[in-house]
Amino acid sequence: MTHPVPALPVNPRLHAVPAYRQGRSAPSGASKLSSNESPHPPLASVRAAVQERLDGIHRYPQMSAPEVIGRLAQRYGVDPSLVTVGAGSVELAAQLIHATAGEGDEVIFAWRSFEAYPSLVRIAGAEPVMVPLDAEHRHDLDAMLDAITPRTRLVFVCNPNNPTGSVVGAAELERFVDAVPRDVLVVIDEAYVHFDGTEYTPRADAGERVRGAGLELFRRFPHVAVLHTFSKAYGLAGLRIGYALAPAMIAENQRKAAVPFGVTDLAQAAAVASLDAEEELAARIAEVVAQRDRLHGLLLAAGWPAVRSEANFVWVPAGDRTAELDELLNAGGVVARSFPGEGVRISAGSAEDVDRVAAALADAPEETRA
Ligand SMILES: *Cc1c(COP(=O)(O)O)cnc(C)c1O
């Protein structure tokens, strides 16, 4: 017997929310360069740390993530209450939105930027305010300032920006942060900070080397939060763990907004093991950066308008040749992230992956070669 189709309720906020589109998976043997993942397999020490926790997976994880939060607090010389963890920094972005904005409020970010922002803002009931990037594919900070209204609660600055790889310099970012009213939270999303060209800054108080303009601004301004993730440079995308540094009141409200037990003990252990393996990871990051620059160079040499990147991917604003480039890569066994009519984002994989991109571009029929 068939049941009558019931008129099930639908949250009207979801009408404007597209389903999140994961970077396409690659057929076996192809290079998956669609999700900005690390091309390197997990470190042996990380595997061992996860293995060790497997016997405990019949228990809930430690919700307060004391070990990893303690380590991060020490590293950055901040009180542990200012550090929050989430199931990837995408969950932290959601927590920060829920902590600050609701019905009728506005959240500003550049566009194109991280694809999750518009959906997360709408799910929270707030209005996304998307400010176009400038002609060089960079954040237009003046236009973002102009977009602030009495209803603005939060501004995201994705730095380096996904998918363009462009960076807002420290001085420029400081001027912006200083010009934003103190009752608006500036969230600096530094998912790719490890790949930017800047050197590590030694931090005397923490005895460790850290990088990223966001941390310094977090220290100096009362209305700044910083998002970091273990997914990209640390290669833990599959385990889902990221962290935020945020002002005390914001962090407290993030914890209320978090989904309980979202970060597993396996993820926490892997994060701690990764913090213990910074030297090993630094070598991997240097390799990815070298492949990124090689990827950029060979795209330019093949006549594609690749943008100089300080992340682990390269943006090609191919415009109406986007489908052509995407097909060329596919035919050569490379799966990248295509934004129809706008461009293609290609993650910097291993040397072999980039070899494959080079071969795919060289296979272009003569008359279409740019
Ligand atoms: C990948 C990414 C993230 C977060 O990824 P998680 O896996 O959720 O930590 C956050 N911001 C940007 C801009 C990203 O590209």
Side-chain angles (χ1 to χ4, degrees), residues 36 87-91 114 117 158 162 189 191-192 229 231-232 240-241:
N36 301 340
S89 60
V90 70
E91 197 219 323
F114 187 33
Y117 297 151
C158 186
N162 176 7
D189 183 344
Y192 301 101
T229 177
S231 294
K232 311 285 163 55
R240 316 303 305 127
I241 179 165

Side-chain angles (χ1 to χ4, degrees), residues 120-280:
L120 296 178
V121 172
R122 285 196 194 281
I123 291 164
E127 250 336 282
V129 176
M130 296 148 86
V131 178
L133 297 167
D134 70 15
E136 267 104 63
H137 314 282
R138 296 157 31 97
H139 278 67
D140 186 342
L141 294 179
D142 289 335
M144 290 175 76
L145 273 181
D146 287 345
I148 293 176
T149 74
R151 297 200 297 159
T152 307
R153 298 291 174 264
L154 186 155
V155 182
F156 280 108
V157 178
C158 186
N159 199 37
N161 187 47
N162 176 7
T164 59
S166 57
V167 162
V168 174
E172 211 183 335
L173 190 55
E174 178 177 344
R175 269 197 304 279
F176 173 78
V177 165
D178 200 15
V180 172
R182 298 302 184 260
D183 60 354
V184 173
L185 184 70
V186 180
V187 176
I188 305 171
D189 183 344
E190 296 189 328
Y192 301 101
V193 71
H194 290 83
F195 305 101
D196 80 7
T198 60
E199 285 303 306
Y200 281 103
T201 310
R203 287 225 55 85
D205 49 350
E208 288 202 57
R209 299 178 311 173
V210 298
R211 68 164 102 208
L215 295 165
E216 202 49 43
L217 294 172
F218 168 72
R219 249 180 258 285
R220 304 212 350 251
F221 289 89
H223 62 317
V224 169
V226 182
L227 282 182
H228 283 177
T229 177
F230 286 96
S231 294
K232 311 285 163 55
Y234 293 92
L236 300 183
L239 272 177
R240 316 303 305 127
I241 179 165
Y243 62 94
L245 304 180
M249 190 199 79
I250 299 288
E252 193 182 316
N253 286 322
Q254 276 179 259
R255 289 188 197 95
K256 294 184 192 170
V259 173
F261 306 112
V263 181
T264 66
D265 273 346
L266 306 187
Q268 295 176 35
V272 171
S274 300
L275 291 171
D276 284 333
E278 297 255 286
E279 295 299 326
E280 228 175 323

